[in-house]
Amino acid sequence: MKLYFALMVLLSISLLATSAPPTCYSRMLNLSKEIMDSFNALQNEEPLESCVEGLPKLYLDIHNYCVLAKLRDFVASPKCRKVARVGALKDQVRKLYTIMNSFCRRDLVFLSDDCEVLENPLQAPTTVRTQVRSEPKEAPRGVPITPAGKTSSG
């Protein structure tokens, strides 16, 4: 009987530990992922409505300061009355903006302010790598570079 009671106590504690309410940060992460999934599904839907094609690109990184302007621009884009999913998506974006700008403002830490990454998320890292690889290595100053087999003495 004691073993059964101990097992019930352990199960109760584990349920309480896993059912903790979400933090501001986790709510922002989850909502931004939901928005990205909804936006990608909307973009991949056939046939694509003309108003959906006119929506601004949407890539969200809640650690980038420019995401706030990106959210504002998306909500302010022209309405798409024919597609109900666009209205629902804009409501989610508006909710994320409100959470980030009001309720969770103190919990949020911006690690960058690179707006270009939000516009071209896939191109930004490859461009940096390409630039790093293509730069010629410089020789240390003060050391003359001579062709192989030739020396200054002879």
Side-chain angles (χ1 to χ4, degrees), residues 86-102:
V86 173
L89 180 62
K90 285 188 176 189
D91 288 342
Q92 282 184 313
V93 169
R94 194 175 293 113
K95 184 187 301 184
L96 178 61
Y97 180 81
T98 303
I99 290 171
M100 289 178 76
N101 210 24
S102 301

Side-chain angles (χ1 to χ4, degrees), residues 24-136:
C24 267
Y25 182 74
S26 65
R27 180 65 183 135
M28 287 184 292
L29 279 177
N30 291 336
L31 189 54
S32 67
K33 184 181 180 323
E34 288 174 25
I35 290 170
M36 289 296 303
D37 291 343
S38 297
F39 180 74
N40 290 334
L42 190 63
Q43 291 291 326
N44 295 329
E45 195 174 83
E46 293 292 330
L48 194 60
E49 295 285 334
S50 61
C51 64
V52 174
E53 290 175 355
L55 289 173
K57 293 179 190 176
L58 190 61
Y59 173 73
L60 302 179
D61 176 9
I62 64 168
H63 301 104
N64 189 329
Y65 184 73
C66 294
V67 76
L68 293 171
K70 187 77 167 169
L71 293 172
R72 274 193 314 264
D73 292 346
F74 190 83
V75 170
S77 63
K79 295 216 180 234
C80 207
R81 293 188 181 135
K82 294 179 185 176
V83 184
R85 290 177 58 190
V86 173
L89 180 62
K90 285 188 176 189
D91 288 342
Q92 282 184 313
V93 169
R94 194 175 293 113
K95 184 187 301 184
L96 178 61
Y97 180 81
T98 303
I99 290 171
M100 289 178 76
N101 210 24
S102 301
F103 302 118
C104 301
R105 186 178 199 124
R106 293 178 300 203
D107 298 341
L108 193 57
V109 175
F110 294 114
L111 302 176
S112 76
D113 62 350
D114 186 3
C115 298
E116 182 64 29
V117 172
L118 295 180
E119 292 298 320
N120 302 310
L122 299 177
Q123 293 175 0
T126 56
T127 340
V128 171
R129 283 190 209 121
T130 306
Q131 289 174 352
V132 170
R133 287 183 189 159
S134 66
E135 290 178 6

Side-chain angles (χ1 to χ4, degrees), residues 2-18:
K2 288 183 181 181
L3 181 63
Y4 178 72
F5 180 72
L7 184 61
M8 290 302 291
V9 168
L10 280 174
L11 284 173
S12 300
I13 291 173
S14 67
L15 285 175
L16 287 175
T18 59

